[in-house]
Amino acid sequence: MGALHDGHLSLVDRARSDSSTVAVSIFVNPTQFGEGEDFTEYPRDLDADLELLQRHGTDLVFVPDVAEVYPPGFDTWVDVGPIADRLEGAARPGHFRGVATVVAKLFGIVQPDRAYFGQKDGQQTVVVRKLARDLDMGIEVVVLPTVRESDGLAMSSRNVRLNPEQRNAAAAVYRALAAGMNLWSSGEADASKVRDAVRQELEAEPLLEVVDYVSVASPDSLEELDRAGRGAMLSTAVHLGPIRLIDNVIME
């Protein structure tokens, strides 16, 4: 959706190394934002994005406006089933209908051989892989590791909206996930205890006003697990004032 950072650019660089032609789409998709969310406040800097993409060897940048993607009379939507109703889908009803629909449209327009996504949006990667598989799109979905700041905060376009105090507090998100991972790595397989360890660390940071969820889920179905096993996704979503941050780690 633009406001590019090193996480996005790691996807471009990998695509550049894999492919003869690299295309990037930039589109802040209104249909994945709910009422009262930050569509109008979402960071946008197209000139800076284009300069970065040129520097990283992008061949084509597709920058449609809303009317191109959703012309008058548009009324066809993609529903990927129950995985879209969990975690982010429960916290943001309709979010993944918007995501799946716009990704399906972008795939149809650009017709890539491979599409690159970051693990930072963990549930989105599951949704997109299911979309491509269920609809026989013939597209390889490549998921690359989350790129982080020096204190562990996952890079996100929304991070630029954090004030200095909030930015310091935001480091607690990865610190909490690490606490859960450390407990699991020490031999604790009870998923409820892993969740409690994460939540305890989050609640120790007073600026994290709301914790939407702490999850230990199957990497395929995103159903909550009783036992935390290898490959499970440990994830959380929190609010810092008006800014909502998500993060996850794969338990391995």
Side-chain angles (χ1 to χ4, degrees):
M1 294 201 296
L4 301 182
H5 51 68
D6 285 351
H8 296 119
L9 296 174
S10 73
L11 307 180
V12 176
D13 291 343
R14 172 64 181 273
R16 179 74 280 165
S17 70
D18 288 349
S19 308
S20 60
T21 305
V22 176
V24 173
S25 63
I26 296 178
F27 179 63
V28 183
N29 176 36
T31 67
Q32 68 191 66
F33 290 80
E35 186 177 351
E37 293 186 353
D38 60 347
F39 174 69
T40 56
E41 293 83 13
Y42 195 86
R44 295 163 171 84
D45 192 344
L46 181 59
D47 289 342
D49 290 346
L50 293 175
E51 183 178 340
L52 284 169
L53 291 173
Q54 185 174 39
R55 197 182 307 161
H56 284 257
T58 305
D59 298 295
L60 180 151
V61 185
F62 178 48
V63 191
D65 60 29
V66 173
E68 283 183 273
V69 178
Y70 303 113
F74 179 87
D75 198 24
T76 301
W77 302 95
V78 179
D79 181 346
V80 296
I83 61 168
D85 298 328
R86 301 176 180 129
L87 303 176
E88 289 297 287
R92 305 175 66 189
H95 170 67
F96 282 116
R97 185 180 85 150
V99 170
T101 300
V102 79
V103 170
K105 293 207 68 172
L106 293 170
F107 282 179
I109 294 164
V110 179
Q111 299 185 24
D113 299 293
R114 284 175 291 273
Y116 296 80
F117 292 81
Q119 180 60 42
K120 184 257 176 186
D121 294 294
Q123 186 174 8
Q124 176 175 271
T125 67
V126 179
V127 166
V128 171
R129 278 178 161 158
K130 181 173 175 57
L131 168 74
R133 180 179 64 248
D134 287 0
L135 297 184
D136 299 312
M137 290 180 165
I139 297 168
E140 179 187 357
V141 177
V142 181
V143 178
L144 298 183
T146 301
V147 177
R148 299 184 179 277
E149 305 284 359
S150 59
D151 60 1
L153 177 65
M155 289 191 177
S156 168
S157 299
R158 288 183 169 93
N159 291 352
V160 300
R161 299 184 58 210
L162 298 168
N163 65 36
E165 190 177 17
Q166 290 170 330
R167 172 61 187 83
N168 288 335
V173 177
Y174 181 68
R175 197 161 60 239
L177 293 175
M181 281 292 292
N182 289 339
L183 181 63
W184 176 72
S185 296
S186 71
E188 181 57 74
D190 185 332
S192 66
K193 292 182 178 178
V194 175
R195 293 184 193 97
D196 288 345
V198 174
R199 190 173 289 276
Q200 183 176 5
E201 190 72 33
L202 293 171
E203 291 175 350
E205 173 48 66
L207 289 186
L208 295 180
E209 299 169 0
V210 177
V211 178
D212 279 346
Y213 60 81
V214 175
S215 167
V216 178
S218 160
D220 301 313
S221 69
L222 301 179
E223 291 182 296
E224 292 298 317
L225 299 172
D226 295 325
R227 306 291 290 175
R230 186 175 299 275
M233 186 171 74
L234 174 61
S235 64
T236 189
V238 303
H239 294 254
L240 269 166
I243 302 153
R244 188 171 181 276
L245 301 177
I246 63 172
D247 200 357
N248 71 88
V249 291
I250 301 300
M251 305 182 81
E252 56 187 12

